[in-house]
Amino acid sequence: MNNSFYAAITGALVAFIGVLITLRANQRNFETNLKEEQKKAREEREFLAKHKALLSAVESVTRFVNYYLTLSDRELPKDGVTPTDISEMSISLNRLHFYCSIDTIKQSIAMSQILGRAYAQALKAKMPAMFIAEEIKGIDVQIEMIKEMNRELQQEILTLLSTDRLSPILVSHRQQLAANSKSIVGLVEKKNDLIKKKYHATEVCRDVVVKGLKEVYGALSNVLLMARKELAFPIDESEYKTILVQTTEQTVSDLNSLLNEIRAEIAKRLQ
């Protein structure tokens, strides 16, 4: 009786210990799996955040390049506000500092400096054309004021002709109309001269933009390659760079050819 009782107790203890060991092993497996899942989820979140930041950087730099290309013909925002396509570029490149490696951060800083310098040089070259444009607007205001004055004079003349044809005011009004018309002709001639001057100033700015294109396109190429590296999307860097350089050179060449054709046609019309 005692032997069988002890045997039963021993068997129960062994079974209980086995259960405890199994539970402990299961607990360890659960904790290990949980850590792996948490690590996987964290890495996935980090990858998605990095992917989003890099995609934003590529898109913003592309918008910057498109804005830069057309800067010479754009009207800039008033009150010193930085254009959105310019400010977003800096913001998106700075965002990479939170998600990317130190090499990528260094490259993003260098690119931001390159693009910022190119924009500043183009903006400086654009200033003369902007000042001339303001002069043209001032002349338009003067012309409109004189035209409005002429409309009032003509209305008064019609009134006098129907009420007092011999009024001496008629003579002075007609003289004033003639003087105003002469002033308008002079202002129009001045405006035409300013338009030509503005065109040449704009072309100077356009030359600065075209001159900086290779460096700007180079920055765009770098951000594309940088994104592939950071996201571990392997590619033959040498071949990729060669393709981008060839594309850039062809784009600049085509743009220069187009500008030369347009300038030649405009020169004919300005003669």
Side-chain angles (χ1 to χ4, degrees):
M1 179 69 178
N2 290 335
N3 290 337
S4 62
F5 174 75
Y6 288 126
I9 292 297
T10 301
L13 286 173
V14 170
F16 180 69
I17 293 171
V19 170
L20 288 178
I21 292 173
T22 301
L23 289 175
R24 181 57 179 166
N26 289 339
Q27 178 66 22
R28 287 178 178 175
N29 289 335
F30 173 78
E31 291 175 353
T32 300
N33 292 335
L34 180 60
K35 289 180 180 178
E36 288 295 327
E37 290 296 327
Q38 290 175 338
K39 180 181 178 182
K40 183 178 179 181
R42 184 175 63 255
E43 289 175 348
E44 185 175 350
R45 287 195 302 271
E46 290 174 352
F47 180 84
L48 290 175
K50 183 186 294 186
H51 181 273
K52 184 178 180 180
L54 287 165
L55 183 61
S56 174
V58 172
E59 290 176 346
S60 66
V61 172
T62 302
R63 285 195 296 271
F64 172 93
V65 172
N66 292 334
Y67 186 95
Y68 174 80
L69 275 170
T70 57
L71 176 63
S72 57
D73 298 299
R74 286 179 178 269
E75 184 171 346
L76 299 181
K78 304 299 181 182
D79 302 326
V81 177
T82 303
T84 302
D85 290 338
I86 303 301
S87 60
E88 281 188 353
M89 179 272 297
S90 298
I91 294 171
S92 65
L93 288 179
N94 287 338
R95 192 178 294 124
L96 298 181
H97 293 207
F98 294 97
Y99 305 105
C100 298
S101 65
I102 189 65
D103 288 338
T104 297
I105 292 172
K106 289 179 180 179
Q107 290 183 59
S108 69
I109 292 173
M111 281 189 294
S112 183
Q113 292 174 337
I114 290 172
L115 297 177
R117 183 168 59 249
Y119 174 70
Q121 291 172 345
L123 187 61
K124 180 180 178 181
K126 182 179 175 63
M127 297 303 291
M130 292 173 61
F131 291 138
I132 296 172
E134 291 303 315
E135 289 186 61
I136 293 172
K137 290 179 181 179
I139 290 177
D140 285 336
V141 171
Q142 293 181 60
I143 291 174
E144 187 55 38
M145 289 175 62
I146 295 174
K147 286 182 176 180
E148 179 61 27
M149 187 187 300
N150 281 353
R151 286 190 286 269
E152 293 176 0
L153 287 171
Q154 289 168 346
Q155 185 61 42
E156 290 180 15
I157 289 173
L158 290 175
T159 301
L160 289 171
L161 287 175
S162 63
T163 58
D164 185 6
R165 289 177 174 271
L166 299 179
S167 173
I169 300 177
L170 280 171
V171 177
S172 64
H173 276 12
R174 284 169 176 161
Q175 289 175 342
Q176 186 62 55
L177 273 175
N180 287 349
S181 298
K182 186 177 180 180
S183 295
I184 290 176
V185 170
L187 288 171
V188 169
E189 290 177 353
K190 184 178 180 180
K191 178 181 176 180
N192 289 338
D193 290 339
L194 285 173
I195 289 174
K196 293 178 182 179
K197 189 177 178 182
K198 179 177 178 290
Y199 164 73
H200 291 299
T202 300
E203 290 304 294
V204 171
C205 177
R206 206 186 312 278
D207 286 338
V208 172
V209 169
V210 173
K211 184 179 179 181
L213 266 184
K214 284 188 177 181
E215 195 172 33
V216 169
Y217 271 127
L220 176 59
S221 302
N222 285 338
V223 77
L224 292 171
L225 187 57
M226 179 181 70
R228 295 190 67 99
K229 282 183 178 179
E230 194 68 40
L231 297 174
F233 296 155
I235 193 172
D236 187 323
E237 288 190 27
S238 178
E239 183 178 1
Y240 187 64
K241 287 182 178 180
T242 299
I243 293 172
L244 293 176
V245 169
Q246 290 175 346
T247 302
T248 298
E249 290 178 349
Q250 186 61 51
T251 300
V252 173
S253 177
D254 292 343
L255 182 58
N256 279 322
S257 297
L258 176 62
L259 289 177
N260 289 335
E261 291 178 11
I262 295 174
R263 288 170 175 174
E265 186 63 29
I266 292 176
K268 292 178 184 178
R269 297 176 183 274
L270 291 178
Q271 290 178 352

